[in-house]
Amino acid sequence: MQLNQTHDPDRRSWVDSANRPGTDFPLQNLPLGVYATRDNSAPRIGVAIGDCVLDLAATRDRGLLDVDDATANAIREPRLNALMALGQGASSRLRRAVFELLSTRNPTPARAGECLLPMSDARMQLPAAVGDFTDFYTSVHHATRAARAMRPGGELAPNFRHLPIAYHGRASSLVVSGTDCVRPSGQTGPDAAGAVYRPSAALDFEAEIACFVGPGNALGVPVALDESASQVYGLCLVNDWSARDMQRWEALPLGPFLAKSFMTSVSPWVVTLEALAPFRTAPPARAADEPAISPALTSASHAADGAIRIQLQVSLSTAAMRRQGRAAEVIARPGFADQYWTLFQMLTHHASNGCNLRPGDLISSGTVSGADVVDSGCLLERTANGTMPLRLENGESRGYLEDGDVLALRGRCEREGYAGIGFGVCEGEIVPRATDRGP
């Protein structure tokens, strides 16, 4: 991905809100999403610009968007899969066309303005129909602290430094940001009275970054590391809710199941890889005594810019905070650039056995945690499995999430000389199961 005019920090939009300092969606971002309105439930593809959404099909209908027929057909679909299948060339041409349409250099902004609606009027949907969801485990800080928290004396798995570890997740329970998280029930350990299913008492979040697959690869055809970027359509935020008491009991020997499959929240806006070009950076250097990386998982170009600088922010709002009129409290600020394995290495490893990835598949990083425990991307680490509760500013404490808690994840990219861009929000409120809510 090369820098071009769409990354020019001096360009401005005629949409005033896109020029406000700190906006997630300036002219240089242009993420794609799917929305419906109160008047029309049919999903439509839009682009976020400031505090508005641009209806892509409407701009094409008015003759304002110069794209080829394949792209014109794809933007009329109810999900982004068809656009993702066209690859980055089509995505880049669409991005440039939208950029010029929304730029102050557009001589007829009023006509394009007819295709805008306030973001507050958009009911956001899942961006793509996700056929498969894969959740990785790629932060060495998370893997180390989580192992010790889950099982006393636990240490980093011996294979962690050799290959990106992952499991196949449940695609049917992926939900868009804003969907309530219903507290799951399950078995949590040996029980003399029998196998009792009870509501999880250790409900957790996991702050993650994920990518949507673009064109995909044929069955039996691996994806080389230097080709992996061409398979990444764009990135989003993910909160992979986790029931730690269920997970600890059921995970051996086959790994996560009911503790993870009940729900995973996905942010609605997909930030394209091209928009993230200014924020590519070198992955962390490996220590001399660490295992050598497989030649399939390293290259000169990847060593130069295989990581992406994204600053995450996790905030918690309790029911008591909201009653008191208090703002949500930021409880972690982990950075994505220092993951032990990059998204490109994850994708390459995923396809290395010939597994066929398809447009719209979702590949997530696993919990993103910083070196300092205060920047843990989950409560399992931050509270040492609930034994050292997190103290909040209003006097409350949390070992794990309680009913009424709202967990919000945000991500932002900043670099001197470029416009900062963001991902919006990925949030959800914890609610009890209907059978547990009482009269």
Side-chain angles (χ1 to χ4, degrees):
M1 278 294 173
Q2 301 297 317
L3 297 178
N4 55 49
Q5 71 266 29
T6 67
H7 304 105
D8 184 348
D10 295 326
R11 295 288 294 272
R12 293 290 182 268
S13 174
W14 48 265
V15 180
D16 290 340
S17 59
N19 304 318
R20 294 171 187 163
T23 180
D24 275 353
F25 307 124
L27 183 63
Q28 293 76 10
N29 193 349
L30 305 180
L32 294 105
V34 173
Y35 72 97
T37 65
R38 293 178 179 86
D39 300 328
N40 184 356
S41 60
R44 300 176 69 82
I45 293 176
V47 168
I49 180 70
D51 58 9
C52 297
V53 179
L54 179 74
D55 185 322
L56 287 185
T59 61
R60 173 68 174 180
D61 290 343
R62 287 166 171 76
L64 303 174
L65 197 62
D66 184 16
V67 293
D68 58 42
D69 290 343
T71 301
N73 291 332
I75 62 177
R76 298 184 190 283
E77 293 288 322
R79 291 290 182 266
L80 292 176
N81 299 67
L83 270 177
M84 293 171 174
L86 294 177
Q88 290 180 346
S91 172
S92 182
R93 290 188 292 274
L94 175 62
R95 172 179 166 83
R96 295 185 192 208
V98 173
F99 182 89
E100 296 301 336
L101 180 67
L102 293 171
S103 166
T104 53
R105 297 182 187 179
N106 178 1
T108 57
R111 293 184 63 205
E114 297 172 357
C115 305
L116 286 179
L117 75 154
M119 196 173 288
S120 57
D121 290 343
R123 296 186 293 111
M124 301 308 297
Q125 318 283 305
L126 274 179
V130 180
D132 286 290
F133 167 50
T134 304
D135 194 28
F136 276 84
Y137 189 59
T138 56
S139 165
V140 68
H141 310 304
H142 167 68
T144 301
R145 289 196 292 261
R148 294 169 181 169
M150 286 292 279
R151 294 178 177 81
E155 294 297 335
L156 190 69
N159 60 349
F160 182 88
R161 297 182 188 275
H162 293 266
L163 53 84
I165 304 169
Y167 73 95
H168 189 225
R170 182 75 185 174
S172 67
S173 52
L174 293 171
V175 300
V176 72
S177 171
T179 305
D180 289 343
C181 178
V182 178
R183 184 176 295 274
S185 289
Q187 296 186 34
T188 58
D191 191 328
V196 177
Y197 289 80
R198 55 174 61 89
S200 171
L203 187 54
D204 202 356
F205 68 92
E206 289 189 345
E208 307 188 11
I209 295 286
C211 73
F212 283 98
V213 173
N217 59 301
L219 183 67
V221 181
V223 176
L225 183 61
D226 285 345
E227 298 171 358
S228 61
S230 68
Q231 295 289 348
V232 175
Y233 185 82
L235 277 59
C236 66
L237 307 176
V238 162
N239 177 3
D240 195 27
W241 305 92
S242 301
R244 300 302 188 187
D245 43 1
M246 294 160 57
Q247 180 182 358
R248 184 172 56 251
W249 175 236
E250 72 176 6
L252 297 176
L254 295 181
F257 186 47
L258 299 184
K260 299 276 192 175
S261 63
F262 60 95
M263 185 169 136
T264 300
S265 296
V266 180
S267 60
W269 295 108
V270 181
V271 179
T272 62
L273 194 59
E274 185 170 9
L276 293 164
F279 312 104
R280 299 279 294 271
T281 189
R286 303 287 174 96
D289 60 350
E290 293 190 80
I293 302 175
S294 164
L297 295 175
T298 186
S299 72
S301 61
H302 179 268
D305 65 359
I308 305 173
R309 288 184 285 196
I310 305 172
Q311 186 65 47
L312 296 180
Q313 176 181 289
V314 183
S315 61
L316 176 64
S317 172
T318 70
M321 286 180 184
R322 297 193 294 279
R323 288 194 300 270
Q324 297 161 0
R326 289 176 174 264
E329 182 174 333
V330 176
I331 60 173
R333 293 186 176 89
F336 184 59
D338 68 347
Q339 293 285 101
Y340 197 85
W341 300 101
T342 70
L343 278 174
F344 306 109
Q345 289 171 318
M346 295 177 218
L347 190 147
T348 292
H349 179 65
H350 199 325
S352 63
N353 67 341
C355 173
N356 54 318
L357 307 176
R358 297 175 295 183
D361 282 356
L362 192 64
I363 297 176
S364 197
S365 65
T367 304
V368 179
S369 291
D372 195 315
V373 70
V374 300
D375 289 325
S376 295
C378 64
L379 289 174
L380 171 68
E381 299 173 60
R382 181 67 182 272
T383 70
N385 195 25
T387 63
M388 301 174 63
L390 171 67
R391 305 295 177 181
L392 302 173
E393 293 175 356
N394 71 339
E396 293 183 275
S397 63
R398 289 290 185 273
Y400 283 106
L401 297 172
E402 297 185 7
D403 292 348
D405 288 350
V406 176
L407 197 288
L409 171 62
R410 291 177 171 81
R412 189 161 177 84
C413 301
E414 300 277 359
R415 181 184 172 189
E416 187 175 356
Y418 294 91
I421 65 174
F423 287 76
V425 65
C426 180
E427 67 179 355
E429 179 176 353
I430 310 298
V431 299
R433 289 179 61 170
T435 54
D436 303 323
R437 295 176 194 175

